[in-house]
Amino acid sequence: MKIGILGGTFDPPHFAHKEIAVRAKTQFGLSKVIFIPTGNPWQKSPISNSEHRYNMTNLLIEDTNEFEVSRIELDSSRETYTVDTLKELNYDSENLFFILGADTALGIKSWKSFLELGNLCQFLIAPRHGVDKNKLGKEFPFDYLEIAGPELDISSTNVRELLIDGENLNKKIPTNILEYIQTHSLY
């Protein structure tokens, strides 16, 4: 069974998160994709309450049986690191596929014990607007497979900015997540 892992703050989750998961599942024959909202991120702050991010991520995938959301990092009281999460999941590295956007992949050398990641999983990288593929090929420290498809130019940071400005977000986040954000006065 091939398992995909898509981690992130999901603050808020958006259509690009789901599309990357769909593409990875289809192109690489993954049995399922597990979305893992970051627990206590050491590289990003401030972020929304973990329960809100968990609930919104569930709303993103509610119509897809092959996707699930894990609380593995949210229920941890310590700072969370990808290397520790992958060890705790304890999947066979040949069948575990870590899904990244190209922009995030370029920063992987700053992650805790990043060299260990190559022994824990395979890497699937989605193209990202503004990230040069040649640079990625030179700087990413592991072999990887590219997730095919057009670049997706949606970021959670951009979504939050557009929310604050009152912009229309129908093409960036699902209606149920927008309603959740409004109901809970997020951002």
Side-chain angles (χ1 to χ4, degrees), residues 46-148:
I47 60 170
S48 297
N49 171 285
S50 60
E51 289 305 311
H52 287 311
R53 293 183 296 108
Y54 175 78
N55 292 337
M56 288 188 291
T57 306
N58 271 306
L59 290 172
L60 180 72
I61 64 159
E62 70 182 0
D63 63 345
T64 312
N65 292 335
E66 298 87 11
F67 297 161
E68 65 183 61
V69 182
S70 170
R71 296 189 59 89
I72 191 168
E73 290 194 5
L74 299 176
D75 291 340
S76 175
S77 59
R78 63 186 183 356
E79 285 188 333
T80 54
Y81 301 97
T82 301
V83 67
D84 298 329
T85 299
L86 294 180
K87 286 177 182 176
E88 193 173 336
L89 289 171
N90 197 28
Y91 285 108
D92 170 31
S93 64
E94 294 298 312
N95 293 310
L96 185 63
F97 295 83
F98 197 76
I99 302 166
L100 294 162
D103 55 332
T104 303
L106 282 176
I108 201 167
K109 290 180 183 176
S110 71
W111 296 11
K112 177 187 172 194
S113 305
F114 80 91
L115 287 174
E116 289 184 54
L117 296 172
N119 298 321
L120 298 171
C121 63
Q122 311 300 309
F123 293 93
L124 304 177
I125 299 181
R128 186 73 190 248
H129 181 72
V131 177
D132 182 273
K133 289 183 183 184
N134 292 326
K135 181 178 181 180
L136 179 62
K138 290 176 187 171
E139 293 187 19
F140 192 72
F142 309 107
D143 290 335
Y144 66 91
L145 298 169
E146 183 177 317
I147 300 170

Side-chain angles (χ1 to χ4, degrees), residues 4-34:
I5 301 293
L6 181 58
T9 53
F10 300 113
D11 192 22
H14 49 69
F15 285 131
H17 291 129
K18 188 172 184 179
E19 179 61 23
I20 288 169
V22 168
R23 290 180 190 177
K25 183 184 178 313
T26 303
Q27 292 171 24
F28 300 100
L30 305 179
S31 300
K32 67 178 173 178
V33 175
I34 303 171

